[in-house]
Amino acid sequence: MTRKIKHSIIGLVTVLMAVLFGACASPTAKLTVSRNDITAGEAVTVKWETKNAKEITLNGQKVDKMGGQSLSPKDTTKFEIVAKRGKKTARDSATVSVTVVKAPEPKVSLTADKSALDLGQATTLRWSTENAKIVTITGLGEVPGSGEREISPRASTTYTATALGDGGSASASARVTVTEPPPPPPPVVTAPPPPPPEPAAADQFRERAKSVFFDYDKSELLQSEQDKLRTLAEWLNLERNRLIGFKIEGNCDPRGTAEYNLGLGDRRSRSIRDFLVSLGVDASRIETMSYGSEKAQGTEEGSSSSQTGWAYDRRGDFVYLRGDIKP
């Protein structure tokens, strides 16, 4: 056998032994984490390196033979790298402990400057909160985290402030007692003097000042109602009619609290007033008032007739006050 053939055989045997050794070599796996203790929301870097493996998984997910990931576990987590080659398996793991910081509990306080009122008087609610994202007060709805609001309840009312935050909820209450004044003594009955004749302007005003209607829980003017007001404004802006003064009364259907409906009626009357002023009607000629749901005639929901009744309740009315038409 020549020397050249011997060298070829030796080289081939070497290659075959290397392949056989690689096929039989056991896999290895190594895993490290940048930090073993973190706070919830922080990130940790997980790195791994394997050899002689055909299949590599990190916590059950296939990955490359070596690499790294930046992860933010929500709670304590064990990271495990598994390297397999045939029936042979290598593992390595590391545990990252996660500390969850509990959000602080919200705090709320609520006071009324006066806790006892006569009907028609006002008081001021004051409130403050800590660690709250949403703050509501019964009768007022959602409010800023701290503030004050003047109120004039028509009946004794308990106001409750509720603060909601990441740490839970808290509430505080303040009661305002309303006392109705004693009835006045009965008046001395005398024959009333005949009323003075109304000026001609009163009838003409009532003919043109038609009620303005609103959608449920809204104070924005509908297009059809704006057209009514434009016609009225043209008549009021005539030089001969500029002495006429009037009042706008806001009304609501019977749904909602008395206090909320008073506020909604007030917004409706002001919405009508502001639209007339934008059309050139002098604001000094206009007074506004809210009756809330006091004049509501609608019945409980359940039939088309009751729906019609509630629609009629959601309106603004005009009342002639003073002034006549210039000759």
Side-chain angles (χ1 to χ4, degrees), residues 4-290:
K4 185 175 182 181
I5 294 173
K6 284 184 178 181
H7 283 302
S8 298
I9 293 172
I10 292 171
L12 179 60
V13 170
T14 302
V15 171
L16 290 174
M17 290 181 66
V19 171
L20 181 62
F21 177 78
C24 297
S26 297
T28 63
K30 183 179 180 181
L31 180 142
T32 60
V33 293
S34 58
R35 298 168 64 187
N36 291 103
D37 297 283
I38 63 172
T39 300
E42 294 180 337
V44 63
T45 300
V46 181
K47 294 183 178 180
W48 65 91
E49 180 178 351
T50 66
K51 293 181 180 179
N52 305 321
K54 290 293 186 179
E55 180 181 343
I56 304 100
T57 58
L58 175 65
N59 285 15
Q61 300 294 320
K62 289 186 177 181
V63 293
D64 294 332
K65 293 183 178 181
M66 61 184 299
Q69 292 182 7
S70 179
L71 303 169
S72 298
K74 295 182 179 179
D75 47 28
T76 298
T77 302
K78 179 181 178 181
F79 294 97
E80 183 178 45
I81 191 76
V82 178
K84 293 183 178 181
R85 185 183 185 92
K87 295 182 179 181
K88 297 178 180 180
T89 301
R91 302 172 185 270
D92 195 17
S93 64
T95 299
V96 177
S97 297
V98 179
T99 301
V100 179
V101 179
K102 185 179 179 181
E105 294 183 356
K107 298 179 181 179
V108 59
S109 65
L110 177 68
T111 60
D113 286 354
K114 297 178 182 178
S115 59
L117 306 174
D118 289 332
L119 184 63
Q121 291 183 329
T123 186
T124 299
L125 285 179
R126 304 180 192 276
W127 67 91
S128 62
T129 62
E130 296 178 14
N131 307 319
K133 290 186 175 180
I134 300 175
V135 183
T136 58
I137 299 178
T138 52
L140 303 183
E142 188 170 340
V143 295
S146 61
E148 59 183 51
R149 188 78 60 85
E150 185 178 89
I151 57 171
S152 182
R154 301 178 65 82
S156 297
T157 304
T158 298
Y159 296 90
T160 300
T162 302
L164 300 177
D166 292 334
S169 64
S171 62
S173 298
R175 183 166 178 79
V176 178
T177 303
V178 178
T179 303
E180 293 192 20
V188 178
V189 178
T190 58
E198 279 192 327
D203 289 337
Q204 293 190 31
F205 176 80
R206 281 190 285 266
E207 289 177 3
R208 290 166 174 80
K210 305 298 183 183
S211 294
V212 174
F213 296 93
F214 295 86
D215 280 341
Y216 171 63
D217 199 27
K218 301 292 184 182
S219 58
E220 293 79 12
L221 292 170
L222 299 170
Q223 184 61 49
S224 60
E225 308 308 290
Q226 291 182 21
D227 294 340
K228 289 183 186 178
L229 295 176
R230 289 189 180 93
T231 300
L232 176 60
E234 290 178 4
W235 185 81
L236 289 170
N237 286 331
L238 294 175
E239 183 62 32
R240 63 189 181 88
N241 297 329
R242 291 184 179 270
L243 296 179
I244 296 172
F246 55 95
K247 178 171 62 177
I248 303 171
E249 297 177 346
N251 297 277
C252 307
D253 67 37
R255 291 170 287 184
T257 64
E259 185 173 359
Y260 180 83
N261 285 338
L262 280 173
L264 178 57
D266 181 64
R267 293 193 296 274
R268 287 173 173 172
S269 62
R270 291 174 183 270
S271 178
I272 297 171
R273 179 200 64 187
D274 293 345
F275 189 76
L276 289 174
V277 170
S278 73
L279 296 175
V281 180
D282 193 330
S284 64
R285 303 167 63 186
I286 308 172
E287 298 179 13
T288 61
M289 181 176 182
S290 174

